Structure formats: structure tokens, C-alpha cells
């Protein structure tokens, strides 16, 4: 059995879970996963988005079950032997393996991830009807098949007093990357996925100024509840809104990912089987 046990942000958890399902199918192994709630930066030891205060059941209706002949308490007792890098040798063994990362060797076998397989496995988790209704309602009002979906990441990676990711892209640079790398003649609208802070608000203003002929649409501007002490990224409703945002992004014609784009926009690309423009400096 292989067990996904990430404890960081929503996008990374979900992508890692889908990697685990894919590996379980490829190597004919049972799989399971742990979904611990909120952890602080100190406890989690991962990247910058380190707070995911929402249960799996708040997002999905189908929770994968393990075999009846396996004792959950025994399995949990093995978590202390968690592996960091999962190798093919591990997968061919009969061990119960908790893991957080995939070795370089396994990365070459997974990548590039097959969108058709990942989309099918994501759908098998059955997103809750309440969330799908919100996505469908927004989608029905917009022409997403003629829309460029832009994921702009600021918030947790842009605070110079705590942690500024070297890949953070100021809005003035982001607008130039969009104009340079996306053929705007192909799209009627731009869907902007971002949080509500000075950087993303500035990008919104620049989009309207530089591309006045395009309609700029957003879902529900996510409030930036970033805390430099705990590195928190919002409460349950913030996380749920981010999930809805990601699913709307997956329905856009093309996904434009900023240099510091995280796993949510990568997940949107995979589950929507969409082409993406991921710019790098």
C-alpha cells in the first residue's frame, strides 16, 4: 500500500493524491491518504502555503476506502517511518509506504502527467454538488471556451517581511508577459484567478488599461488572510473559494500561469485537459 501524506497547501495535496492514485494503478498497489487539517509553517516543513483548514469531505463526496482486512490504527502507527522520496524499488516491495515526495527516477515515469488519466481520476473523487453548482452557475454566464484564464499568485509568496519567492512576478512584469506570450486575438475575455491584495488589484487595473477591448471577469475575489507568523492562507470558505476558482480556471480555453504559479493552476490544466502557457523569467 502507498499512502499520500502531504500536509501543506490544497493544490499540492490534491496533485500528490492524484500522483498516488496513478502510481497505485500503474504498479497495482492499494492506496490511501492522510488529510490532516491546519498545520503551521514550523509543523509542516513545506513551502510557503502551509495552511489547509478544510476537510476532504468538504470538497468531495467520495472518500477512497482501504481494504477491510487492513487495520487503520496499525497503518497510522507506521507513519513515523514516512519516506521522503518514493522509488520504483519501494513500489515493487510489499511494504506499507507513507511518502511525501517522489524520487527523480519516478518523476521521469510520471512526467509529463497524462491529462486524460488525471482528469478521470479527479472526477472519480466526485466533487460535491454544492461546489459544482457554483462552478456551473458562473460558467453558464461566461464564455469560458473563448476566455484566457490567468493565474496570478501573490499573497503568501510576495510578503518581503516574511518570505518573498524569487519567482514572484510584480504586476507590471506580469502584464507584459501576458501581452508578449498570449495571442490576445484568440480570446474575448480574461478570467483572473488571484487573491485580493495590492499586487493583484494593480494587475487588474493594468489589464483593463492595456487591454480595454477585453472583458475581465473574476469569480469571488479571494481575501488575502496571509499571516507572517503562521503563514496561514485563509479559513474554510477561503479554501473552498480557491477550489471553485481552480475548477473555473480548468474550463477556460487556455491557462496562463505566472512564473510563480503553484499546483492549483497545474491541477486546473490537468483536470481540464487544457493547453497552458507557463512563462518563466
Amino acid at each position: 500500500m502507498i499512502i499520500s501524506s502531504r500536509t501543506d497547501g490544497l493544490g499540492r495535496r490534491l496533485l500528490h493524491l492524484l500522483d498516488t492514485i496513478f502510481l497505485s494503478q500503474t504498479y497495482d498497489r492499494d492506496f490511501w491518504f492522510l488529510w490532516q487539517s491546519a498545520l503551521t509553517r514550523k509543523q509542516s516543513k513545506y513551502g510557503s502555503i502551509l495552511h489547509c483548514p478544510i476537510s476532504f469531505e468538504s470538497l468531495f463526496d467520495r472518500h477512497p476506502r482501504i481494504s477491510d482486512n487492513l487495520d487503520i490504527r496499525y497503518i497510522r502507527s507506521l507513519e513515523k517511518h514516512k519516506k521522503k522520496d518514493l522509488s520504483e524499488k519501494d513500489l515493487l516491495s510489499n511494504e506499507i509506504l507513507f511518502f511525501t515526495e517522489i524520487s527523480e527516477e519516478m518523476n521521469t515515469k510520471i512526467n509529463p502527467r497524462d491529462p486524460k488519466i488525471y482528469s478521470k481520476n479527479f472526477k472519480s473523487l466526485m466533487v460535491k454538488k454544492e461546489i459544482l453548482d457554483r462552478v456551473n452557475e458562473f460558467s453558464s454566464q461566461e464564455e469560458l471556451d473563448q476566455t484566457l484564464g490567468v493565474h496570478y499568485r501573490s499573497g503568501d509568496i510576495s510578503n518581503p517581511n516574511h518570505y518573498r519567492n524569487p519567482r514572484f512576478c510584480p504586476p507590471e512584469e506580469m502584464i507584459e508577459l501576458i501581452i508578449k506570450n498570449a495571442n490576445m486575438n484568440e480570446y474575448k475575455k480574461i478570467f483572473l484567478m488571484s487573491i485580493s491584495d495590492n499586487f493583484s488589484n494593480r494587475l487588474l487595473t493594468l489589464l483593463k488599461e492595456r487591454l480595454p477591448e477585453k472583458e475581465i471577469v473574476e469569480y469571488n475575489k479571494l481575501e488575502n488572510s496571509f499571516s507572517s507568523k503562521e503563514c496561514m492562507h485563509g479559513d474554510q470558505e477561503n479554501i473552498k473559494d480557491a477550489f471553485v476558482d481552480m475548477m473555473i480556471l480548468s474550463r477556460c480555453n487556455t491557462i496562463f500561469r505566472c512564473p510563480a504559479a503553484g499546483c492549483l493552476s497545474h491541477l486546473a490544466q490537468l483536470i481540464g485537459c487544457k493547453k497552458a502557457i507557463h512563462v518563466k523569467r
Side-chain angles (χ1 to χ4, degrees):
M1 171 179 285
I2 52 176
I3 302 171
S4 172
S5 56
R6 296 286 301 200
T7 54
D8 45 351
L10 179 65
R12 174 60 69 181
R13 288 186 190 213
L14 289 174
L15 187 58
H16 196 261
L17 172 57
L18 293 177
D19 283 341
T20 304
I21 296 174
F22 173 74
L23 289 172
S24 75
Q25 294 166 339
T26 303
Y27 288 89
D28 193 26
R29 299 290 303 270
D30 287 329
F31 83 93
W32 194 42
F33 67 102
L34 298 182
W35 188 280
Q36 299 181 51
S37 58
L39 289 179
T40 65
R41 179 180 180 85
K42 183 177 180 180
Q43 291 171 311
S44 182
K45 300 178 183 176
Y46 290 118
S48 53
I49 295 182
L50 299 168
H51 193 74
C52 190
I54 195 168
S55 67
F56 183 84
E57 290 78 11
S58 296
L59 303 175
F60 299 95
D61 277 330
R62 179 177 175 265
H63 193 301
R65 301 295 177 185
I66 62 173
S67 303
D68 292 336
N69 61 343
L70 289 171
D71 186 325
I72 293 178
R73 287 174 299 180
Y74 169 67
I75 292 174
R76 283 187 177 278
S77 73
L78 299 176
E79 188 183 5
K80 59 186 176 183
H81 303 300
K82 184 186 300 183
K83 293 184 67 69
K84 182 178 180 183
D85 297 322
L86 192 72
S87 67
E88 186 166 40
K89 181 180 178 181
D90 295 324
L91 286 164
L92 294 174
S93 73
N94 292 319
E95 294 182 59
I96 295 176
L97 301 165
F98 288 82
F99 74 107
T100 56
E101 301 282 356
I102 296 169
S103 67
E104 286 299 318
E105 170 200 17
M106 293 310 303
N107 261 321
T108 61
K109 294 180 181 293
I110 287 180
N111 289 300
R113 295 175 173 92
D114 187 330
K116 291 182 179 179
I117 295 175
Y118 276 67
S119 177
K120 180 180 178 181
N121 288 336
F122 179 83
K123 289 176 181 176
S124 74
L125 299 175
M126 298 176 61
V127 174
K128 294 191 79 67
K129 182 179 183 300
E130 169 232 332
I131 293 175
L132 282 177
D133 286 345
R134 289 161 66 177
V135 175
N136 290 334
E137 180 182 6
F138 182 92
S139 301
S140 67
Q141 298 170 5
E142 308 295 345
E143 300 164 292
L144 295 183
D145 60 332
Q146 300 178 60
T147 296
L148 175 68
V150 174
H151 178 213
Y152 180 61
R153 184 178 176 193
S154 53
D156 64 301
I157 66 165
S158 62
N159 188 331
N161 297 321
H162 174 64
Y163 171 76
R164 173 161 284 185
N165 190 309
R167 293 180 298 151
F168 168 67
C169 186
E172 291 77 12
E173 182 180 349
M174 183 67 176
I175 185 66
E176 298 300 334
L177 290 172
I178 293 171
I179 292 172
K180 177 182 178 181
N181 293 281
N183 183 359
M184 298 310 302
N185 294 326
E186 295 181 8
Y187 314 107
K188 292 179 63 174
K189 300 182 181 183
I190 297 174
F191 169 71
L192 179 60
M193 174 181 171
S194 64
I195 64 170
S196 181
D197 67 2
N198 291 335
F199 295 112
S200 55
N201 292 339
R202 173 61 177 158
L203 177 60
L204 179 62
T205 299
L206 289 172
L207 286 169
K208 291 177 178 178
E209 290 177 354
R210 299 288 299 277
L211 299 167
E213 73 283 5
K214 305 298 179 185
E215 182 181 354
I216 315 299
V217 296
E218 298 175 282
Y219 167 60
N220 181 20
K221 196 74 169 183
L222 306 177
E223 289 300 321
N224 179 19
S225 53
F226 174 78
S227 158
S228 62
K229 181 179 179 182
E230 296 288 340
C231 204
M232 294 182 180
H233 207 68
D235 58 18
Q236 289 198 36
E237 286 308 309
N238 292 138
I239 301 297
K240 191 175 290 186
D241 281 345
F243 187 68
V244 173
D245 242 0
M246 181 276 294
M247 293 197 65
I248 293 171
L249 188 69
S250 76
R251 298 188 181 187
C252 293
N253 179 288
T254 304
I255 298 172
F256 193 99
R257 305 177 65 209
C258 68
C263 289
L264 274 181
S265 55
H266 189 189
L267 189 63
Q269 176 190 350
L270 288 171
I271 69 173
C273 301
K274 296 297 171 62
K275 60 181 178 180
I277 303 170
H278 189 187
V279 290
K280 299 181 180 180
R281 286 194 172 98

